[in-house]
Amino acid sequence: LTCALSAYGAASGETIVLECEQFRNLGGWSIDSQFIDEMGSSYLLAHGLGHPVADATTTFEVKKAGRYNVYVRTKNWVYKWLPQGRGKADGAGAFKLSVNGVKLSNLLGWQGKGEWLWVKADDVTLKAGVNTVAICDVNGFDGRCDAICFSTDIATASDAIRQNNRTIEQSNNQTISKDLVVVGGGIA
């Protein structure tokens, strides 16, 4: 597989969870670790300074072809600055998903009140074998995407989402020797 994933199986359905920071091609998205203490992992961030960044893409394997519910873990980071009770669906943080070259209809990244949450992205038909997914930035203003869940069964998806398994093996580990190591030298 070209993307680290967790598969949850049950008699009633099949569920696949993709960790976005493990995508093969990050495009213009970057890995951000700002909320690890809050939500348990790093995530992808589209920081394009007002210009949409290139799509983050990967492939994943599906054992059983069929209709899948698609959920995305994201955060509406501008909620506290919006007028009470109003949100802007195409505002800062907005993005879409594309599955097997077809852009899903729902706009993501603007739901919720500033917390990390799972949002229903759409339903898709996946083929048995290799499928592709892309995270498509809308406006370059810090869209955030942590994980994507594909499930044939809502109950199984709920279990996978609740567990939100974070045990991913890194396949590109390297050991290097240096005289100076700087840790945490990001924008913050």
Side-chain angles (χ1 to χ4, degrees):
L1 295 179
T2 59
C3 178
L5 60 88
S6 302
Y8 298 84
S12 58
E14 182 166 334
T15 298
I16 299 164
V17 178
L18 303 177
E19 296 287 342
C20 297
E21 65 273 16
Q22 299 295 319
F23 272 33
R24 170 72 66 175
N25 173 14
L26 298 181
W29 294 71
S30 59
I31 297 174
D32 194 297
S33 58
Q34 179 180 5
F35 296 103
I36 284 179
D37 62 331
E38 188 177 312
M39 44 76 88
S41 79
S42 52
Y43 57 94
L44 291 188
L45 175 70
H47 189 61
L49 297 171
H51 300 285
V53 303
D55 297 349
T57 61
T58 201
T59 58
F60 61 102
E61 193 162 338
V62 173
K63 293 178 186 174
K64 181 178 167 185
R67 195 79 176 152
Y68 284 73
N69 300 286
V70 184
Y71 299 89
V72 173
R73 190 167 189 221
T74 186
K75 176 180 179 141
N76 179 356
W77 70 275
V78 296
Y79 177 79
K80 64 183 174 183
W81 294 290
L82 296 173
Q84 192 63 26
R86 289 190 6 224
K88 188 172 181 192
D90 62 349
F95 63 94
K96 286 190 165 204
L97 289 186
S98 175
V99 178
N100 293 327
V102 177
K103 214 168 251 187
L104 305 187
S105 61
N106 292 340
L107 197 61
L108 305 160
W110 65 274
Q111 300 86 347
K113 297 181 179 180
E115 73 282 12
W116 284 96
L117 72 156
W118 286 95
V119 176
K120 176 86 181 263
D122 214 336
D123 296 322
V124 297
T125 300
L126 298 177
K127 61 187 177 187
V130 177
N131 290 263
T132 62
V133 64
I135 309 170
C136 311
D137 181 31
V138 170
N139 53 33
F141 283 120
D142 298 329
R144 288 164 164 80
C145 189
D146 173 47
I148 302 168
C149 176
F150 295 90
S151 183
T152 58
D153 177 71
I154 292 177
T156 308
S158 296
D159 289 343
I161 288 169
R162 201 170 14 268
Q163 291 176 10
N164 201 19
N165 189 348
R166 297 281 177 206
T167 56
I168 298 173
E169 292 183 31
Q170 298 292 329
S171 61
N172 292 331
N173 291 341
Q174 297 180 27
T175 301
I176 59 174
S177 177
K178 297 291 178 185
D179 293 333
L180 174 68
V181 177
V182 176
V183 178
I187 294 171

